[in-house]
Amino acid sequence: MAIEIGQVKTTAAEFESRTPNHEPRSAVCFLTLGCKVNQAESEALAQLFREADYDVVSVSEEADVVVVNTCTVTNTGGSKSRQAIRRMIKVHPESIVVVTGCYAQTAPGDVLDIEGVDLVLGTQDRGKILEWIERVKQERRPQNAVRGIEDAGEFEELPQLNEENRTRAFLKIQEGCNQFCTYCIIPYARGPLRSRQPDKALAEARRLAEEGYPEIVLTGIHTGFYGQDLNSGWNLARLIRELVGIPGLRRLRLSSIEPMEYTPELIDCIASSDIVCPHVHMPLQSGSDRVLVRMHRPYTLQDYRELLLRLRQRIPGLAVTTDIIVGFPGETEEDHASTLNFVRECGFAGVHVFPYSKRQGTPAADYPDQILKKVKDQRVKALMAAARESQEAFMRRFIGKRVEVLVERVDPEGNAVGHTPHYIEVHLPRQQSKPWFSRQFVQVVLEEDFIQS
């Protein structure tokens, strides 16, 4: 999972609708670290505050409540979360500071020990955030609202997204993970598999399409196992088939799906639809079979290789991106060389490279053969170079070809940025006659100057 930082804020139209004659409304700001699931959840919480008559502002503006949505997928994620919390407390010394997300769930005591934190809320019960804030105000002392995640039994429904300044909407359909890879803290932070009821997911998707969102991204922790806990005949393939029939939806993009989750039915429904983007994110984690066994990953390199072949036979030109952990305990130079060779063989459209980071409470943290930081740094550098070569080679295949770009943002000078269905980021220079605008689909012949690796 990549570490990303984002903000949720109010649209310009919402600001303009306010009049100076009204009483000042309460304001809330969000700082979000981590994956697309966190981003989707922050958007939902922002909507919850809007429904309670809060203005959602940027982190640089004054706010009565500050929400920091944290990540803990690596030690770096935990460290960045702590830094972000302290930074927001310093910038907003008079605000109520709420810390939620994976780091809050796995280390609530550590979070509450940070002076200035008023409320710790993990990865469940977030729909009660406003009730807990009122409790903080009444009791005038910090509150720990985190409870054990291991017995969580149902998908937590949060308010549906209702914002107008986004091109791409995230639709969360699944929560939790039962895999327990030896390096991963996520099952302890997110709990067991829980799928969203299909009628709820489809209803939100229809509303998003009606409101003009041209692209929906399906998100979850173990998205490919959607429906496994529902006992109702639903799975990810069936959900996708329903989603692509929604009027007005132009693109459906899939977030991370594990290799063992690609059933023949799923591959068929991806390949048979022009709505589903020809882009999949399929975590590899290591290019060494020996390391994959120690990671508790349920596939071999040959399994992965054969799956790639099946996917590319059904979906020509498919963009495949992946995650790789470098310097896992016991990784030898031979293992590292195997990973480099496998990356070059696979022709990935993008690779997220992570140095292994110990997470207390996971089996790998106690493995005796930890890799020195300087060795990990060297291996990360080598793998990133191979990843760049692979990405550049993939993008070059589209130079001179006509591609469809969904414009996502336009800068003050009139230059636009958007993505193709293959998730190639395209930079379009300002047009003299006809300005670009957000949510616009354009057909362009891809030039080398339009792409950045």
Side-chain angles (χ1 to χ4, degrees):
M1 258 184 217
I3 304 296
E4 301 172 1
I5 298 178
Q7 297 181 29
V8 179
K9 61 183 181 180
T10 297
T11 64
E14 288 172 314
F15 273 113
E16 290 169 2
S17 68
R18 302 175 202 151
T19 65
N21 296 326
H22 290 167
E23 287 292 322
R25 302 204 306 179
S26 296
V28 60
C29 68
F30 286 79
L31 183 65
T32 304
L33 295 88
C35 62
K36 289 181 173 61
V37 173
N38 269 14
Q39 294 175 38
E41 290 169 348
S42 287
E43 295 283 2
L45 289 177
Q47 181 59 24
L48 192 66
F49 277 92
R50 288 189 185 95
E51 292 171 359
D53 290 327
Y54 276 74
D55 290 329
V56 182
V57 301
S58 71
V59 296
S60 62
E61 297 175 80
E62 290 187 9
D64 301 276
V65 177
V66 174
V67 180
V68 183
N69 195 352
T70 60
C71 174
T72 190
V73 69
T74 65
N75 270 342
T76 302
S79 175
K80 285 187 176 181
S81 292
R82 290 189 296 273
Q83 292 171 8
I85 295 164
R86 292 191 175 97
R87 184 169 72 252
M88 295 303 284
I89 291 169
K90 184 177 181 179
V91 174
H92 300 276
E94 303 301 321
S95 304
I96 291 176
V97 176
V98 181
V99 181
T100 186
C102 290
Y103 182 62
Q105 180 67 46
T106 57
D110 292 347
V111 174
L112 210 59
D113 284 343
I114 299 174
E115 186 175 353
V117 170
D118 298 292
L119 173 61
V120 186
L121 192 63
T123 56
Q124 56 185 334
D125 301 327
R126 288 159 298 184
K128 299 178 181 178
I129 188 170
L130 290 163
E131 297 173 30
W132 278 102
I133 288 171
E134 286 305 311
R135 186 168 173 176
V136 168
K137 291 177 180 178
Q138 291 171 9
E139 299 187 10
R140 297 187 177 183
R141 63 182 180 87
Q143 302 285 335
N144 182 355
V146 178
R147 61 186 177 94
I149 195 71
E150 60 277 356
D151 297 325
E154 294 183 356
F155 181 92
E156 181 184 35
E157 284 289 339
L158 291 172
Q160 295 185 352
L161 177 67
N162 185 22
E163 221 190 339
E164 298 177 356
N165 65 338
R166 294 285 298 275
T167 300
R168 181 182 297 114
F170 297 114
L171 180 65
K172 185 181 174 185
I173 62 168
Q174 185 275 334
E175 177 67 277
C177 176
N178 295 348
Q179 179 60 36
F180 289 95
C181 296
T182 58
Y183 55 82
C184 187
I185 197 71
I186 294 303
Y188 309 95
R190 291 282 180 171
L193 289 169
R194 286 102 72 203
S195 300
R196 190 176 189 181
Q197 290 296 328
D199 60 329
K200 298 287 182 63
L202 291 169
E204 182 169 3
R206 291 189 192 99
R207 187 182 58 77
L208 290 168
E210 288 169 0
E211 292 181 0
Y213 286 91
E215 180 174 313
I216 290 176
V217 184
L218 292 188
T219 67
I221 301 300
H222 240 243
T223 312
F225 279 160
Y226 174 81
Q228 193 177 79
D229 57 318
L230 295 179
N231 300 317
S232 59
W234 282 88
N235 57 22
L236 182 59
R238 182 178 173 185
L239 183 66
I240 289 172
R241 287 197 174 96
E242 292 289 333
L243 287 168
V244 298
I246 292 175
L249 180 62
R250 293 282 297 272
R251 286 184 185 177
L252 181 68
R253 193 176 297 279
L254 308 180
S255 60
S256 182
I257 299 178
E258 294 285 334
M260 62 281 192
E261 298 167 4
Y262 283 90
T263 63
E265 183 186 8
L266 179 58
I267 294 173
D268 181 68
C269 80
I270 295 172
S272 61
S273 173
D274 293 332
I275 303 295
V276 181
C277 291
H279 165 227
V280 298
H281 187 81
M282 194 163 68
L284 172 62
Q285 305 304 6
S286 176
S288 161
D289 280 326
R290 192 185 70 85
V291 174
L292 289 174
V293 169
R294 297 195 81 199
M295 288 178 164
H296 193 220
R297 300 290 289 174
Y299 52 84
T300 65
L301 294 185
Q302 187 58 26
D303 294 333
Y304 196 99
R305 185 181 287 114
E306 290 174 357
L307 175 57
L308 271 181
L309 180 62
R310 290 199 302 274
L311 285 166
R312 285 169 170 160
Q313 285 175 338
R314 292 298 312 278
I315 314 166
L318 177 70
V320 181
T321 54
T322 196
D323 300 327
I324 296 178
I325 295 171
V326 175
F328 187 77
E331 181 187 76
T332 64
E333 286 297 333
E334 290 75 16
D335 295 324
H336 173 58
S338 176
T339 297
L340 285 172
N341 290 333
F342 197 71
V343 166
R344 294 179 180 121
E345 172 191 338
C346 288
F348 291 116
V351 181
H352 296 155
V353 180
F354 304 92
Y356 169 73
S357 176
K358 287 203 299 185
R359 301 303 295 128
Q360 294 305 316
T362 61
D366 296 325
Y367 288 176
D369 41 5
Q370 302 289 323
I371 305 298
L372 293 174
K373 181 181 183 300
K374 65 178 181 180
V375 175
K376 283 192 283 189
D377 290 346
Q378 292 168 354
R379 293 177 183 176
V380 165
K381 186 177 179 180
L383 185 57
M384 288 185 71
R388 280 193 298 272
E389 291 175 6
S390 181
Q391 181 186 32
E392 289 167 1
F394 178 80
M395 291 192 297
R396 279 197 298 271
R397 293 162 51 185
F398 293 86
I399 299 296
K401 296 183 178 179
R402 184 169 292 277
V403 296
E404 180 188 72
V405 178
L406 171 57
V407 176
E408 294 162 25
R409 62 183 185 273
V410 182
D411 68 21
E413 286 74 39
N415 305 302
V417 178
H419 284 84
T420 71
H422 296 83
Y423 209 60
I424 296 173
E425 185 174 279
V426 178
H427 296 252
L428 299 172
R430 179 171 65 92
Q431 291 191 122
Q432 295 291 342
S433 57
K434 203 173 183 181
W436 308 114
F437 58 89
S438 180
R439 298 190 181 183
Q440 174 187 14
F441 283 91
V442 297
Q443 298 285 332
V444 300
V445 175
L446 194 62
E447 300 179 14
E448 196 159 349
D449 290 345
F450 291 176
I451 59 175
Q452 299 176 9
S453 59

